[in-house]
Amino acid sequence: MINLDRENQHIAILGAGLAGSLLALLLRNEGFKVSVYEKRIDPRETKIPEGKSINLALSHRGIRALEHANAFTPLKDHLIPMNGRMMHDHDGKLTFLSYGTEGQFINSVSRNELNLNLINQAEKSGVSFHFGYKCERVNLEKTEFVVSNNGKYYTHNTDVVFGADGAFSALRKSMLPQDRFDYQQMYIGHGYKELAMPPRNGDFAMEPNYLHIWPRGNFMLIALPNPDKTFTCTLFLGFEGEESWENLTDDKSVLDFFHGNFPDMTSKIPDLLEQFHRNPTSSLITVRCQPWHHKRCMLIGDAAHAIVPFYGQGMNAAFEDCRLFVEMGKEMNFDWDRLLQTFSGTRKKDADAIADLALRNFIEMRDQVADSSFLERKTVDARLHEKFANDWIPMYSMVTFSDIPYHLALKKGLEQEKALIDAQQNNYLSNLEKIKRSLAG
């Protein structure tokens, strides 16, 4: 049955990326009229630039949101399960670290394929997309925004405006002059560059069902598999210093760096030099702000809380934003004024927690996964979960395989981590009961 009241409410979403497309689909499924404005040209009509894809790790929170929108099934053929981390040392020796218990895995997925799929499904449901329209400014008091296209400007009034327009959001820019609007952006000292590893003899050049990591202390390389049997490799390296982007200036320095640090993967990319010089080096930013709303305008996803990619939760957190928002909306019968204020206030602590977790995990991935004492704690962490499944859940599992709010996962995870470190220092790692008692207090 058509809800005429909702059909008469027009919602505008700025940004047709992952969060914007999913939010549009979810709100359209609730009966609202939805229009999406995106400054890029239609991604279905252009080839994605090389070196700008960044594979994503789709896990439980993201999958649940996609299922809520009836959008997960069409994506299954584009996913590759990854059972854990496969670490490569300098000599090519491999060490495996499982993500969770048997049967738990995360999924490698192309950002572009996922985005195209969501756009198509949203459009099919009745969402109106307007590509090539850049948001110039938003009048927060009037819920009015101006977009430009080919030198012409258009003003639109809608009932609600969402900013799902990423880390450099136009809606957030319009919020900056507001009294008591807090905003912080922070770049880490590392940038990233993507390289494509082609198939070898018609098959994957490495085992595909893992996230491959070459941890090297202050920098690292990772590789995620793709359905076309390629790997997307991403080098995370400091901008300055002895081993940094500023010192990789010619063919010799690039080859010496890769042969010296990643000898087992360098031979698997025949056109390494061409890709290295052709593909861009990009920065990594964390964004925090509050409040996320003003009147009937609200930020969501990266526009509200951009994070670095090292916990694989940026997309999953944005998708969870969308699901939780719509679930809260249904509970409140989409009383917009109350809904936007409540969601903006309650979700903020989880966004801050996953931002902190992502920054912490960068250190773990580039450095600690090669440390024997860290791996020892991880082994005991998993054994404790087997023995005390309801009382002890590894932090990674709470974040990746559950709906436990991020801020609670961080709090409990830090308590467990401290208990493990204390136990390790007191040489009773093998005694699970003692560790359990130390955690209990």
Side-chain angles (χ1 to χ4, degrees), residues 9-16 20-21 23-25 27-28 32-38 122 126-131 145 147 156-158 160-162:
Q9 294 185 55
H10 190 185
I11 297 171
I13 298 175
L14 307 177
S21 300
L23 181 62
L25 177 57
L27 290 172
R28 181 59 194 158
F32 296 103
K33 179 182 179 181
V34 183
S35 298
V36 181
Y37 296 84
E38 168 60 56
V127 173
S128 177
F129 283 87
H130 305 272
F131 292 100
F145 59 98
V147 293
H156 298 279
N157 280 98
T158 55
V160 186
V161 177
F162 289 94

Side-chain angles (χ1 to χ4, degrees), residues 97 372-388 392-394 416-417 419-421 423-424 427-436 438:
L97 185 61
S372 59
S373 63
F374 170 80
L375 294 174
E376 188 176 43
R377 290 197 302 273
K378 283 290 185 182
T379 299
V380 175
D381 200 20
R383 289 173 63 193
L384 282 165
H385 181 48
E386 290 176 7
K387 190 171 181 65
F388 311 110
W392 187 291
I393 306 173
Q416 292 177 170
E417 182 180 280
L420 283 173
I421 293 173
Q424 189 176 46
N427 297 315
Y428 55 80
L429 268 173
S430 61
N431 191 323
L432 303 183
E433 288 294 343
K434 287 184 179 179
I435 299 176
K436 180 75 176 348
S438 74

Side-chain angles (χ1 to χ4, degrees), residues 189-222:
H190 288 64
Y192 71 90
K193 185 187 291 287
E194 290 196 341
L195 304 165
M197 181 184 293
R200 174 170 288 187
N201 300 321
D203 205 350
F204 288 101
M206 303 183 295
E207 289 293 327
N209 296 118
Y210 306 102
L211 189 155
H212 292 263
I213 305 180
W214 290 257
R216 296 297 182 262
N218 197 41
F219 59 94
M220 69 175 178
L221 181 79
I222 67 172

